[in-house]
Amino acid sequence: MYEIVYREDIAAKIHLFRIAAPAVARKAQPGQFVMVRASDHSERIPLTVADFDREAGTVTVVFMEVGHTTTEMAALRQGDYVQNFVGPLGNPTEIEKFGTVMVVGGGFGTATLLPVVRGMREAGNRVITVIGFRTKDLIFYEDKLRAASDELIVSTDDGSYGYKGVVTLPIKEMLESGRKIDRVIAVGPAIMMKFVSKTTEPFGVPTIVSLNPIMVDGTGMCGGCRVTVGGQTKFVCVDGPEFEGHLVDWDILFARQRLYLEEEKHALEEHECRLAKVK
Ligand code: FAD
Ligand code: FES
Ligand code: MG
């Protein structure tokens, strides 16, 4: 059992758990993930390591309430426990001196950028962070990421704060202006990572994306996280989660993400029905 030593609701439906897990904290690196099981009857879900403190023995995860399991997890409070917290899994982000690195976040991905930004700066890179939200009220982590980055660009789809438009617009503008970007790293919804990759492709900027297919075991045994990258079959949990975005077959990823949509919907409806009875 792993204690939730700190909980914070950082935005609407986005929650942060700091979990006491010394063995995971000792080895965790930016870009890796953990498989979490809230209780002994829950499914396992993968969550990215959003931060870690080796001395305190804690690992931070941030999750968005999107369905049955994340809603179940959102009901847990500080001092409660999660049943399993396995990791770190997957390969760490490749951190070295590239020059100017652009780190892009959308949705829950924004909350996982800090260790990558810090690592890239420590390696001597200039880091431009770009984060996108639908509207001003949904913005989170702006101050933390501004303090950690050399430059921060915030965009909102409706123009209520910062740059008006989706994240790809400021990226395109910067590349068209002739600004030299040596590497882009994008973390967030698959659709956002696809369009970031499409934006950088004509400029030939290597673009690393953190893929999020459905995972079951997280250790390369079930085949659930199969994707196609550069015409080859890859298992995201052991070969990734990070890949060159220009080589990813996005249509296959989207199709596989939708595989259990009906079952997921039923699970959530059942959960809400049970909650209503309790109330
Ligand atoms: P459901 O209703 O079951 O599913 C909602 C959607 O989530 C599905 O349509 C599907 O696209 C996806 N999903 C469902 N089950 C899984 C599963 N077992 N594995 C992966 N995706 C699934 N989310 C965060 O909020 N924060 C993170 O840091 C984060 N990191 C991730 C890292 C990796 C490597 C991967 C693969 C996914 C990550 N996700 C993260 C996505 C997260 O795992 C899903 O949102 C979660 O499993 C949804 O569970 P649910 O039962 O609440 O929703
Ligand atoms: Fe089973 Fe990757 S999650 S092989
Ligand atoms: Mg689920």
Side-chain angles (χ1 to χ4, degrees), residues 40-62:
D40 54 10
H41 61 266
S42 309
E43 66 176 348
R44 288 181 180 77
I45 62 161
L47 295 176
T48 307
V49 169
D51 216 342
F52 48 86
D53 183 331
R54 299 201 203 287
E55 255 170 55
T58 58
V59 175
T60 301
V61 287
V62 175

Side-chain angles (χ1 to χ4, degrees), residues 17 19 25 27 38 61 127 135 144-145 148 164 233 258 274:
F17 283 180
I19 309 261
K27 291 192 189 153
V61 287
V127 178
T135 187
K144 285 183 184 175
L145 286 166
K164 183 179 186 323
T233 296
R258 287 192 297 268
R274 261 187 275 133

Side-chain angles (χ1 to χ4, degrees), residues 33 43-49 62-64 66-71 108 112 210-216 236 241 257-258 261 264-265 268:
F33 66 94
E43 66 176 348
R44 288 181 180 77
I45 62 161
L47 295 176
T48 307
V49 169
V62 175
F63 63 95
M64 189 180 268
V66 291
H68 173 81
T69 306
T70 47
T71 304
F108 73 79
T112 68
S210 180
L211 295 186
N212 41 19
I214 289 176
M215 289 189 179
V216 182
V236 173
Q257 278 183 330
R258 287 192 297 268
L261 221 52
E264 285 156 357
K265 204 167 135 246
L268 182 62

Side-chain angles (χ1 to χ4, degrees), residues 214-225 235-237:
I214 289 176
M215 289 189 179
V216 182
D217 64 326
T219 57
M221 295 200 283
C222 69
C225 65
F235 296 106
V236 173
C237 64

Side-chain angles (χ1 to χ4, degrees), residues 140-157:
F140 62 90
Y141 269 35
E142 182 188 3
D143 294 344
K144 285 183 184 175
L145 286 166
R146 194 181 299 285
S149 314
D150 291 288
E151 279 175 61
L152 178 81
I153 299 169
V154 184
S155 76
T156 50
D157 296 358

Side-chain angles (χ1 to χ4, degrees), residues 55-265:
E55 255 170 55
T58 58
V59 175
T60 301
V61 287
V62 175
F63 63 95
M64 189 180 268
E65 263 180 79
V66 291
H68 173 81
T69 306
T70 47
T71 304
E72 186 187 20
M73 275 178 63
L76 297 173
R77 302 287 148 210
Q78 201 160 301
D80 286 345
Y81 292 81
V82 293
Q83 183 79 25
N84 298 110
F85 195 79
V86 176
L89 300 166
N91 299 301
T93 305
E94 197 186 338
I95 292 185
E96 55 182 78
K97 187 164 181 191
F98 296 105
T100 300
V101 176
M102 184 184 268
V103 181
V104 185
F108 73 79
T110 304
T112 68
L113 300 183
L114 266 177
V116 178
V117 170
R118 261 192 242 126
M120 285 293 181
R121 274 193 93 192
E122 278 163 20
N125 295 287
R126 182 173 178 81
V127 178
I128 305 171
T129 303
V130 186
I131 49 176
F133 301 89
R134 271 204 325 276
T135 187
K136 185 175 181 230
D137 295 342
L138 301 177
I139 296 174
F140 62 90
Y141 269 35
E142 182 188 3
D143 294 344
K144 285 183 184 175
L145 286 166
R146 194 181 299 285
S149 314
D150 291 288
E151 279 175 61
L152 178 81
I153 299 169
V154 184
S155 76
T156 50
D157 296 358
D158 63 0
S160 51
Y161 186 83
Y163 196 101
K164 183 179 186 323
V166 290
V167 274
T168 47
L169 291 175
I171 298 171
K172 187 161 184 246
E173 210 170 80
M174 206 175 280
L175 291 168
E176 279 174 347
S177 76
R179 186 100 183 255
K180 190 171 173 294
I181 308 291
D182 298 288
R183 196 178 188 83
V184 171
I185 299 175
V187 189
I191 190 76
M192 176 278 258
M193 298 190 286
K194 171 185 169 173
F195 282 106
V196 169
S197 303
K198 295 283 170 211
T199 304
T200 58
E201 199 166 8
F203 298 90
V205 182
T207 298
I208 306 303
V209 293
S210 180
L211 295 186
N212 41 19
I214 289 176
M215 289 189 179
V216 182
D217 64 326
T219 57
M221 295 200 283
C222 69
C225 65
R226 195 168 75 239
V227 290
T228 305
V229 182
Q232 292 185 323
T233 296
K234 299 279 177 191
F235 296 106
V236 173
C237 64
V238 286
D239 299 322
E242 298 189 353
F243 295 96
E244 169 54 70
H246 302 149
L247 300 178
V248 172
D249 187 324
W250 294 99
D251 292 339
I252 292 182
L253 176 67
F254 294 138
R256 292 193 60 83
Q257 278 183 330
R258 287 192 297 268
L259 219 52
Y260 302 105
L261 221 52
E262 268 311 299
E263 288 83 349
E264 285 156 357
K265 204 167 135 246

